[in-house]
Amino acid sequence: GQNIDQPTEMTATEGAIVQINCTYQTSGFNGLFWYQQHAGEAPTFLSYNVLDGLEEKGRFSSFLSRSKGYSYLLLKELQMKDSASYLCAVNRGSTLGRLYFGRGTQLTVWP
Amino acid sequence: KAGVTQTPRYLIKTRGQQVTLSCSPISGHRSVSWYQQTPGQGLQFLFEYFSETQRNKGNFPGRFSGRQFSNSRSEMNVSTLELGDSALYLCASWVRDNEQFFGPGTRLTVL
């Protein structure tokens, strides 16, 4: 399989910081996406990393290390509305059309 | 700008029947992908289309087929439905190399 691994569940409290890790097989790697999915809704785009390093977008940051096959999504100043599933997806093709998804990390934020 | 739209949103069918799902991408987007999401398997790639041509196909049986029209709208068809086809079917479209937008999905239940 594609062996995209991420933790199944995580919990945190409001205002805290949480890091969601994702590891993947490096062969054919051509970019990594993070998506947020609330229950019963479609995934929404959070970030895209194709080069090593940290990309910051407001409260959310995403990091990539291509040589290690590793990425993380960092969520700061957690809010209740951040409770959702976070999906890591790897692109291995020449187009963006075929993404390989991890099973998702269900994050619960407690008051 | 309207997002990706999918119809119908909910569908109930019985085993052996066939079903057609529709996806209208964001205006100006010519690339469309389809995914199946189930609790057991997560998000799995079905097809990718660009300018009415199928560019990639996932590892699904021949009962699953699709097509794209000249206006970029796409349809997927599942024939001889099985219980295991019950899932959320998601369509995504994109135009730039760093963002992919998902529609709300069609929830298919096979009885």
Side-chain angles (χ1 to χ4, degrees):
Chain A
Q2 294 299 320
N3 289 345
I4 298 169
D5 296 316
Q6 48 182 133
T8 304
E9 294 179 332
M10 297 184 74
T11 60
T13 53
E14 269 188 307
I17 299 173
V18 71
Q19 177 175 313
I20 303 174
N21 296 324
C22 172
T23 58
Y24 60 89
Q25 288 181 346
T26 58
S27 60
F29 177 81
N30 196 27
L32 186 144
F33 289 81
W34 283 97
Y35 285 88
Q36 180 192 61
Q37 187 177 27
H38 286 99
E41 298 182 10
T44 55
F45 170 84
L46 290 177
S47 68
Y48 174 63
N49 294 72
V50 65
L51 300 176
D52 288 352
L54 187 68
E55 297 273 346
E56 296 187 78
K57 272 189 184 181
R59 295 190 299 116
F60 292 9
S61 303
S62 57
F63 172 83
L64 177 69
S65 169
R66 289 174 297 171
S67 62
K68 295 182 179 177
Y70 169 69
S71 173
Y72 68 72
L73 180 69
L74 192 71
L75 293 78
K76 304 175 186 176
E77 301 169 15
L78 282 172
Q79 303 174 9
M80 298 286 288
K81 67 178 182 179
D82 297 328
S83 293
S85 180
Y86 290 85
L87 303 165
C88 171
V90 170
N91 178 27
R92 299 192 189 281
S94 57
T95 72
L96 283 187
R98 184 171 192 164
L99 298 182
Y100 296 91
F101 282 83
R103 296 290 184 92
T105 298
Q106 184 62 48
L107 173 66
T108 302
V109 180
W110 299 103
Chain B
K1 200 177 205 182
V4 179
T5 58
Q6 292 186 245
T7 58
R9 292 293 311 278
Y10 301 92
L11 206 49
I12 300 175
K13 292 286 188 178
T14 56
R15 279 179 295 176
Q17 287 187 309
Q18 76 164 20
V19 66
T20 299
L21 311 181
S22 180
C23 169
S24 293
I26 292 172
S27 177
H29 289 195
R30 295 164 63 190
S31 300
V32 171
S33 287
W34 289 88
Y35 293 86
Q36 181 197 63
Q37 187 174 30
T38 59
Q41 299 296 321
L43 267 152
Q44 293 187 289
F45 171 77
L46 282 158
F47 318 101
E48 177 195 357
Y49 288 93
F50 176 77
S51 292
E52 301 179 67
T53 301
Q54 186 180 88
R55 290 205 288 200
N56 279 299
K57 187 177 191 299
N59 191 25
F60 279 81
R63 300 185 296 107
F64 291 79
S65 62
R67 58 179 175 169
Q68 187 180 33
F69 302 95
S70 58
N71 62 357
S72 296
R73 189 177 70 86
S74 177
E75 288 182 348
M76 66 163 283
N77 184 278
V78 188
S79 62
T80 319
L81 283 166
E82 300 177 0
L83 294 180
D85 297 333
S86 294
L88 180 66
Y89 290 88
L90 292 161
C91 167
S93 76
W94 72 95
V95 66
R96 294 196 307 272
D97 281 345
N98 62 352
E99 273 194 64
Q100 193 170 117
F101 299 91
F102 280 86
T106 294
R107 174 76 61 186
L108 173 64
T109 302
V110 182
L111 303 175

